[in-house]
Amino acid sequence: MPPSGSLQARFLEGDRRALARLITEVENGTEAGRAALRALYRRAGRARTIGITGPPGAGKSTLTNQFAKALRARGQTVGIIAVDPSSPYTQGAILGDRVRMQELSSDPEIFMRSLASRGALGGLSAATLDVIAVLDAFGKDTILIETVGAGQDEVEIAGAAQTTVLVNTPGSGDDIQAMKAGIMEIADVLAVNKADLPGADLLVSQLRALLSLLPDRAWTPPIVKLIATEEVGIDDLVTACDDHWEFLASSGRLREQREERARHQILTLARSQLLAGLMDDEGGGGRLDHLTRAVADGELDPHTAAREWIDQEALA
């Protein structure tokens, strides 16, 4: 057991301030954060995780806000991770999702955390999976993860969430066609938001046509029409996610997902740590500079340079 009054002890007692502090330590990659993860990780693995992704302006924040309220009406505790884009210069973020979901802040059973993407690709922050584990260990029943909304390459959410909701809006036009090769394939539920706008029925037809072109899967993503600003269709969306959860549980996919997520996280962290080791090694930066000049001058190709750098560091 952690010492009485320590950060971990207060966390285990349900102290929200301790939760917020621990998430900060984890997000910043401090030794205290890593130690806490090691100690608390066995408590994780019980929460349901739902990812909400889609293009900018689709209404993801409003939908997430209403989704959380619907879950609370069912008696569930909720964690929300909202990833906002970072400045490429300062790595800071406006964290606007927290502003848009202010009405949730008065509910003690909802904990929302905004994360800056800090240059990570795929619509998530590099620390997202660790923060999910912390909220899970804290005892949250459901964790909602809202992605940056940068475009159609936001497929990382499929590796973080058990159920992925892809939010679409009428007026997408030809952009819908670009989805079938990427993000459409990771969607478990398709949400058509702003369904009161012209073109909503056409969008539903387009999505159905795209689904018919995808490889056969045991689960066919349902299409849910909603108007998040008016709380219309939110219950239908929650039910669709419940149905997908039951499918995962009955088919054995939950265990497969957990192993796939663990493998992906191990590989991602290993790559990050290996690169950090190469950069931090004494002399490593100088060797990289030498190889960089050789590639820029056309004396060496990038693949050979990368192999030489790794080999040199292994021998150092």
Side-chain angles (χ1 to χ4, degrees):
M1 291 290 294
S4 177
S6 68
L7 182 62
Q8 288 186 39
R10 290 188 287 114
F11 174 91
L12 294 174
E13 292 168 358
D15 187 330
R16 286 168 58 91
R17 289 188 178 181
L19 169 60
R21 173 69 181 278
L22 202 150
I23 288 177
T24 298
E25 298 286 353
V26 166
E27 186 182 8
N28 291 334
T30 66
E31 183 53 42
R34 288 190 290 270
L37 271 177
R38 286 193 295 269
L40 298 171
Y41 200 78
R42 288 183 179 274
R43 295 174 58 89
R46 289 171 287 189
R48 183 167 59 145
T49 52
I50 299 173
I52 298 173
T53 190
K60 296 187 298 298
S61 294
T62 302
L63 188 152
T64 301
N65 183 77
Q66 303 294 2
F67 204 129
K69 289 166 60 177
L71 291 173
R72 288 294 297 127
R74 298 184 178 199
Q76 295 189 36
T77 60
V78 182
I80 300 174
I81 300 172
V83 184
D84 277 303
S86 300
S87 163
Y89 306 106
T90 66
Q91 297 299 302
I94 297 176
L95 306 182
D97 291 317
R98 179 170 292 181
V99 176
R100 290 189 286 270
M101 299 184 204
Q102 275 187 330
E103 65 177 297
L104 302 178
S105 61
S106 61
D107 189 333
E109 298 301 335
I110 295 179
F111 185 91
M112 192 187 81
R113 182 64 174 234
S114 293
L115 299 180
S117 62
R118 298 188 180 184
L121 301 178
L124 297 181
S125 160
T128 300
L129 287 174
D130 288 338
V131 176
I132 289 172
V134 173
L135 288 169
D136 192 347
F138 193 72
K140 293 303 180 186
D141 297 319
T142 301
I143 300 169
L144 304 177
I145 309 115
E146 181 194 338
T147 69
V148 168
Q152 303 309 326
D153 60 347
E154 295 194 6
V155 296
E156 285 291 308
I157 188 63
Q162 293 154 336
T163 299
T164 300
V165 177
L166 173 59
V167 186
N168 306 274
T169 54
S172 299
D174 292 337
D175 291 342
I176 283 289
Q177 295 301 320
M179 291 183 180
K180 64 183 178 183
I183 200 169
M184 274 287 292
E185 295 182 6
I186 58 98
D188 300 306
V189 177
L190 295 167
V192 175
N193 193 22
K194 307 179 184 180
D196 54 335
L197 295 179
D201 291 335
L202 174 61
L203 175 57
V204 170
S205 299
Q206 290 177 322
L207 291 172
R208 285 189 179 133
L210 285 176
L211 286 175
S212 68
L213 298 176
L214 296 178
D216 290 337
R217 297 192 294 179
W219 170 262
T220 300
I223 302 173
V224 181
K225 293 173 64 176
L226 51 89
I227 308 171
T229 55
E230 300 178 14
E231 302 184 34
V232 174
I234 297 298
D235 286 337
D236 293 336
L237 181 61
V238 174
T239 298
C241 291
D242 288 343
D243 291 343
H244 183 250
W245 171 262
E246 292 174 6
F247 161 76
L248 293 175
S250 62
S251 65
R253 275 291 295 155
L254 275 178
R255 175 64 189 184
E256 292 177 16
Q257 274 192 345
R258 184 172 298 177
E259 292 186 1
E260 289 169 2
R261 185 160 54 249
R263 178 183 294 273
H264 174 73
Q265 192 171 16
I266 291 169
L267 290 173
T268 299
L269 290 172
R271 282 194 292 265
S272 177
Q273 292 173 19
L274 286 171
L275 181 58
L278 286 171
M279 297 299 294
D280 292 342
D281 182 61
E282 186 176 349
R287 284 188 283 271
L288 176 59
D289 290 340
H290 172 74
L291 291 168
T292 298
R293 288 190 291 270
V295 171
D297 292 340
E299 299 171 1
L300 207 60
D301 70 276
H303 294 273
T304 302
R307 172 49 57 189
E308 286 191 13
W309 187 32
I310 292 172
D311 290 344
Q312 288 172 357
E313 294 306 302
L315 294 172

